[in-house]
Amino acid sequence: MELTQFCILAENLPQPQLTLEPPGVIKSGQSADLLCTAPSNYKGAIFYLYLHRNREHLQTLQATEDTHNVTFTLREVTASDSKGYVCLYQIILLDAIQASELSNVLYLTIIDYLPSPSLTLKTQYVIHNGQSADLQCTAPSSYQGATFLLYIQSRNTLLQTIKASHTSHKVIFTLRELTASDSLDYVCLYQNRTSETTHTSEPSNLIYMKVSDENYNTTSPIEPEEFPNAPSWIIPLVAGIIGGAVLVLSIILASCMVIRFQQKKRQEQRDRESVWVPQNMSPDWSITNNMAYSVDQNEHSGDGLPSPFMGNSEISEDIVEKPFSTFQT
């Protein structure tokens, strides 16, 4: 039925109101409810929904006798349904059809949401008052060159917008000079533009960032980047390894001490049993008085002196070589 068929009287009825219930952005695949409301004294009217641009008739509904509005439902909408809509109503008065003015134009925004990105906190150490923090937002690898947006989730406040390079599908948001009031939940999303349409992703996971109200100690010898928070199981493991190493070294040291003690005892025993005991030797240890060998009384050197190998010139002929031992018998 054409719109002109209802505007048959010179004076039209008051304009209705067209609203989206509930208001907001509609995701692709969802339903959209459009509420057309006439003045309260026009109950039981017939309502019509049209496209604003070409006046294409979409739906017709009649209100009950005690209501003055109807709800038009657009099911499984897509981005192509992002258009302007209008409505009107008509009543039968004195056997004549009387129609209203067109309603306000209601523009719908239907978004084809892209896959959600992931948000990670790159700063792993405790964040102190006045420091900076890095949050990385990563889209699926097929969405390179997208525009990324970082929000405070609880306030729905846009903080930063960064466009990735045409070869990258992720960006890093740097938050500087943080304070304890920045201890909030953060979320990111990305947008990808194709032709004349901008597609937005689902929101990422939430990241809660804790900022300590203590100032960072710049004189500390330990840099937080070099010593991130270790897992709770690391300390017992390291302590066990160190304790085991100390035990092994203690056993080896004790074994070495026992071996040295035993060697020392054996050496002392040998020293007690090993002494130099002369047999039939003079207590005079000079080389000339302790040569034990036999000589011939007539064996002298050419100058009439005893041989230089004789201990004394007055050695008896019965001196013979005497054996001696270095060990006690």
Side-chain angles (χ1 to χ4, degrees), residues 119-121 123 127 133 135 151-154 175 179-187 205-212:
L119 183 64
T120 56
L121 180 62
T123 307
I127 304 171
L135 290 91
Y151 288 85
I152 297 176
Q153 191 270 341
S154 58
L175 305 180
T179 64
S181 62
D182 295 311
S183 298
L184 300 166
D185 287 320
Y186 295 83
V187 65
N205 56 297
L206 293 178
I207 286 291
Y208 177 74
M209 184 174 63
K210 172 66 175 177
V211 181
S212 172

Coordinates of all heavy atoms in Angstrom, one line a residue, residues 119-121 123 127 133 135 151-154 175 179-187 205-212:
L119 N 44.3 -8.3 24.7 CA 45.0 -7.2 25.3 C 45.9 -7.8 26.4 O 45.4 -8.6 27.2 CB 44.0 -6.2 25.9 CG 44.6 -5.0 26.6 CD1 45.3 -4.1 25.6 CD2 43.5 -4.1 27.3
T120 N 47.1 -7.4 26.4 CA 48.1 -8.0 27.4 C 48.9 -6.8 28.0 O 49.1 -5.8 27.3 CB 49.1 -9.0 26.7 OG1 49.7 -8.3 25.6 CG2 48.4 -10.2 26.3
L121 N 49.3 -7.0 29.2 CA 50.1 -6.0 29.9 C 51.5 -6.4 29.7 O 52.0 -7.4 30.3 CB 49.7 -5.9 31.4 CG 50.5 -4.9 32.2 CD1 50.3 -3.5 31.7 CD2 50.1 -5.0 33.7
T123 N 54.2 -4.7 30.7 CA 55.0 -4.3 31.9 C 54.7 -5.3 33.0 O 53.6 -5.3 33.6 CB 54.6 -2.9 32.3 OG1 54.8 -2.0 31.2 CG2 55.6 -2.4 33.5
I127 N 54.0 -1.6 39.1 CA 54.0 -0.3 38.6 C 53.8 0.7 39.7 O 52.9 0.6 40.5 CB 52.9 -0.1 37.5 CG1 53.0 -1.1 36.4 CG2 52.9 1.3 36.9 CD1 51.8 -1.2 35.5
A133 N 53.5 2.3 31.7 CA 53.1 1.0 31.4 C 52.7 0.8 30.0 O 52.2 1.7 29.3 CB 51.9 0.6 32.3
L135 N 50.6 -1.6 27.2 CA 49.6 -2.5 26.9 C 49.6 -2.8 25.4 O 49.5 -1.9 24.6 CB 48.2 -2.0 27.3 CG 48.0 -1.9 28.9 CD1 48.4 -0.5 29.3 CD2 46.5 -2.1 29.2
Y151 N 40.4 1.8 25.6 CA 39.4 2.4 26.5 C 39.6 2.1 27.9 O 40.1 1.0 28.3 CB 38.0 1.9 26.1 CG 37.4 2.4 24.7 CD1 37.8 1.8 23.6 CD2 36.6 3.5 24.7 CE1 37.3 2.2 22.3 CE2 36.1 4.0 23.4 CZ 36.5 3.3 22.3 OH 36.0 3.8 21.1
I152 N 39.1 3.0 28.8 CA 38.8 2.6 30.2 C 37.4 2.0 30.3 O 36.4 2.6 30.0 CB 38.9 3.8 31.1 CG1 40.3 4.4 31.1 CG2 38.5 3.4 32.6 CD1 40.5 5.7 31.9
Q153 N 37.4 0.7 30.6 CA 36.1 0.0 30.5 C 35.0 0.5 31.4 O 33.9 0.7 30.9 CB 36.4 -1.5 30.8 CG 35.2 -2.4 30.4 CD 34.2 -2.6 31.6 OE1 34.5 -2.3 32.7 NE2 33.0 -3.0 31.2
S154 N 35.3 0.8 32.6 CA 34.3 1.3 33.5 C 33.7 2.6 33.2 O 32.6 2.9 33.5 CB 34.9 1.3 35.0 OG 36.0 2.2 35.0
L175 N 51.0 4.1 28.5 CA 50.4 5.1 29.5 C 51.5 5.6 30.4 O 52.2 4.8 31.1 CB 49.4 4.3 30.3 CG 48.3 3.6 29.5 CD1 47.3 2.9 30.4 CD2 47.6 4.6 28.6
T179 N 49.3 7.1 38.1 CA 49.1 7.3 39.5 C 48.1 6.2 40.0 O 47.6 5.4 39.2 CB 48.4 8.7 39.8 OG1 47.1 8.7 39.2 CG2 49.3 9.8 39.3
A180 N 47.9 6.1 41.3 CA 47.0 5.1 41.9 C 45.6 5.2 41.3 O 44.9 4.2 41.3 CB 47.0 5.2 43.4
S181 N 45.2 6.4 40.9 CA 43.8 6.5 40.4 C 43.7 5.8 39.0 O 42.6 5.7 38.5 CB 43.5 8.0 40.2 OG 44.4 8.7 39.3
D182 N 44.8 5.4 38.4 CA 44.8 4.7 37.1 C 44.7 3.2 37.3 O 44.8 2.5 36.3 CB 46.1 5.1 36.3 CG 46.1 6.5 35.9 OD1 45.1 7.0 35.4 OD2 47.2 7.2 36.1
S183 N 44.5 2.8 38.5 CA 44.3 1.3 38.8 C 42.8 1.0 38.3 O 41.9 1.0 39.1 CB 44.5 1.0 40.2 OG 45.8 1.3 40.6
L184 N 42.7 0.6 37.0 CA 41.4 0.4 36.4 C 41.4 -0.7 35.5 O 42.5 -1.3 35.2 CB 40.9 1.7 35.7 CG 40.8 3.0 36.5 CD1 40.7 4.2 35.6 CD2 39.6 2.9 37.4
D185 N 40.2 -1.1 34.9 CA 40.1 -2.1 33.9 C 40.2 -1.4 32.5 O 39.6 -0.4 32.3 CB 38.7 -2.8 34.0 CG 38.7 -3.7 35.2 OD1 39.7 -4.4 35.4 OD2 37.6 -3.8 35.8
Y186 N 41.0 -2.0 31.7 CA 41.2 -1.5 30.3 C 40.8 -2.5 29.3 O 40.9 -3.7 29.5 CB 42.7 -1.1 30.1 CG 43.2 0.0 31.0 CD1 43.6 -0.2 32.4 CD2 43.2 1.3 30.6 CE1 44.0 0.8 33.2 CE2 43.6 2.4 31.4 CZ 44.0 2.1 32.7 OH 44.4 3.1 33.5
V187 N 40.3 -2.0 28.1 CA 39.9 -2.8 27.1 C 40.2 -2.2 25.7 O 40.4 -0.9 25.7 CB 38.3 -3.1 27.2 CG1 37.6 -1.8 26.9 CG2 37.9 -4.1 26.2
N205 N 39.5 -8.8 25.8 CA 39.5 -9.2 27.2 C 39.8 -7.9 28.1 O 40.5 -7.0 27.6 CB 40.5 -10.3 27.5 CG 41.9 -9.9 27.1 OD1 42.1 -9.7 25.9 ND2 42.8 -9.8 28.0
L206 N 39.4 -8.0 29.3 CA 39.7 -6.9 30.3 C 41.1 -7.1 30.9 O 41.4 -8.2 31.2 CB 38.6 -6.8 31.4 CG 37.2 -6.4 30.9 CD1 36.3 -6.4 32.2 CD2 37.2 -5.0 30.3
I207 N 41.8 -6.0 31.1 CA 43.1 -6.1 31.8 C 43.0 -5.1 33.0 O 42.7 -3.9 32.8 CB 44.3 -5.7 30.9 CG1 44.6 -6.8 29.9 CG2 45.5 -5.4 31.7 CD1 45.2 -8.1 30.6
Y208 N 43.1 -5.6 34.2 CA 43.2 -4.7 35.4 C 44.6 -4.3 35.7 O 45.5 -5.2 35.8 CB 42.5 -5.4 36.6 CG 42.6 -4.5 37.8 CD1 41.8 -3.4 38.0 CD2 43.6 -4.8 38.8 CE1 41.9 -2.6 39.1 CE2 43.7 -4.0 40.0 CZ 42.8 -2.9 40.1 OH 42.9 -2.1 41.2
M209 N 44.9 -3.1 35.7 CA 46.3 -2.6 35.9 C 46.4 -2.0 37.3 O 45.7 -1.0 37.6 CB 46.7 -1.6 34.8 CG 48.2 -1.2 34.9 SD 48.7 -0.2 33.5 CE 47.6 1.2 33.7
K210 N 47.2 -2.5 38.2 CA 47.4 -2.0 39.5 C 48.6 -1.1 39.5 O 49.7 -1.4 39.1 CB 47.6 -3.2 40.5 CG 48.0 -2.7 41.9 CD 46.8 -2.0 42.6 CE 47.2 -1.7 44.0 NZ 46.1 -0.9 44.7
V211 N 48.3 0.1 40.0 CA 49.4 1.1 40.2 C 49.6 1.4 41.7 O 48.7 1.9 42.3 CB 49.1 2.4 39.4 CG1 50.2 3.4 39.6 CG2 48.8 2.1 37.9
S212 N 50.8 1.2 42.1 CA 51.1 1.4 43.6 C 51.2 2.9 43.8 O 51.7 3.7 43.0 CB 52.4 0.7 43.9 OG 52.8 1.1 45.3

